[in-house]
Amino acid sequence: MTASGDGTTATAGAVAVAGFYGRYAALYDAIATLPGVARWRAAAADSLALSPGDHVVEMGCGSGANLPHLADRVGPEGHVLGVDLTPELLAVARDRTANLPQVSLARGDATHPPVATGDVDAVLGTFVTGMFRDPAAVVTAWCHLVGGDGRIALMDLSASGHPVGRLLNPPFRAFTAASAPAAGPADVLRGFLPGAAAEDVLATRVDAGREALVARTRDRTFETFALGFCGLLSGRVAGE
Ligand SMILES: C[S@@+](CC[C@H](N)C(=O)[O-])C[C@H]1O[C@@H](n2cnc3c(N)ncnc32)[C@H](O)[C@@H]1O
């Protein structure tokens, strides 16, 4: 599995994302590695049903919190490629995986993956689907990348449908608005207003990504964590 070029695009969106996460790289890594989150990450790696020797790509790998889980499952004869736009987060990921020779990292745009079709057994994207303008197109492209029988898993935060979680949706929406690259104070307040659910861009994007995965896969599993705020959907790509 080879990364072709650095794959970066210089769109305004890509520059804004990299600038935002670059500024808060240390804080992001602290949140990404909170003790309870490790269990979700292990579940995401497990959902890909990886075997020793497999080649897996993580799109939007951030500071690399999933990478040791993936490396453990593919073993030293496998390969894990982490792709991300943000150099500062890739630097943290590089430190985290320094003793894992089966892991490599590439600066690139997950919407135009710097990987050749057919080279990949599985794709993982965690907490990244909501960042794409057209998540369905991106997830469809990832399914094409892994091809028939390949595995794909998406783990995302989104407003909860759980009876208790639903009560916490307004502060959740405010928190996720505040942590988005283009957020302003008005976006944070909007999370508490009537109609917030209808304007919930994160939920709309996460749902669109999940629907695209459902349309192209079989043998799916879905599990939730944290009162339904975190959902993990995985499947095996149906014959292409
Ligand atoms: C919320 S963080 C999640 C990071 C990591 N997946 C995790 O679970 O901790 C979103 C990540 O997506 C990356 N990202 C956003 N848009 C991207 C794109 N088009 N291509 C590659 N990476 C992207 C950001 O740089 C950031 O590292």
Side-chain angles (χ1 to χ4, degrees):
M1 181 170 56
T2 50
S4 49
D6 85 349
T8 49
T9 56
T11 61
V15 170
V17 166
F20 176 82
Y21 281 101
R23 253 191 319 283
Y24 299 111
L27 174 64
Y28 182 77
D29 185 53
I31 295 170
T33 54
L34 285 171
V37 181
R39 188 171 68 89
W40 310 352
R41 297 189 184 283
D46 284 342
S47 77
L48 290 171
L50 295 166
S51 303
D54 275 354
H55 290 189
V56 54
V57 180
E58 183 181 355
M59 302 294 187
C61 65
S63 60
N66 293 316
L67 298 174
H69 296 281
L70 298 173
D72 177 59
R73 283 151 184 80
V74 303
E77 64 272 42
H79 186 211
V80 181
L81 172 65
V83 177
D84 203 280
L85 279 176
T86 306
E88 292 84 349
L89 286 177
L90 285 170
V92 179
R94 202 160 281 120
D95 285 347
R96 172 161 285 125
T97 56
N99 63 349
L100 296 170
Q102 68 271 50
V103 175
S104 59
L105 295 158
R107 184 165 186 229
D109 188 339
T111 66
H112 298 93
V115 182
T117 300
D119 269 2
V120 183
D121 298 298
V123 165
L124 174 64
T126 65
F127 313 124
V128 69
T129 317
M131 307 202 67
F132 303 135
R133 278 179 196 280
D134 187 352
V138 176
V139 171
T140 300
W142 294 353
C143 290
H144 182 62
L145 192 70
V146 294
D149 274 350
R151 281 98 57 201
I152 176 162
L154 304 176
M155 184 161 71
D156 288 289
L157 293 174
S158 182
S160 175
H162 183 282
V164 178
R166 264 205 299 265
L167 300 173
L168 299 170
N169 280 340
F172 170 81
R173 289 196 176 100
F175 168 75
T176 50
S179 52
D187 297 300
V188 177
L189 290 176
R190 207 169 289 131
F192 289 97
L193 297 179
E199 292 177 16
D200 188 336
V201 174
L202 176 65
T204 304
R205 289 182 176 183
V206 167
D207 287 351
R210 287 177 181 165
E211 280 163 23
L213 189 153
V214 166
R216 282 158 191 86
T217 57
R218 55 184 168 80
D219 303 338
R220 285 181 296 279
T221 61
F222 182 66
E223 63 182 303
T224 60
F225 309 96
L227 290 178
F229 285 104
C230 179
L232 168 62
L233 176 66
S234 74
R236 192 175 284 279
V237 175
E240 292 241 307

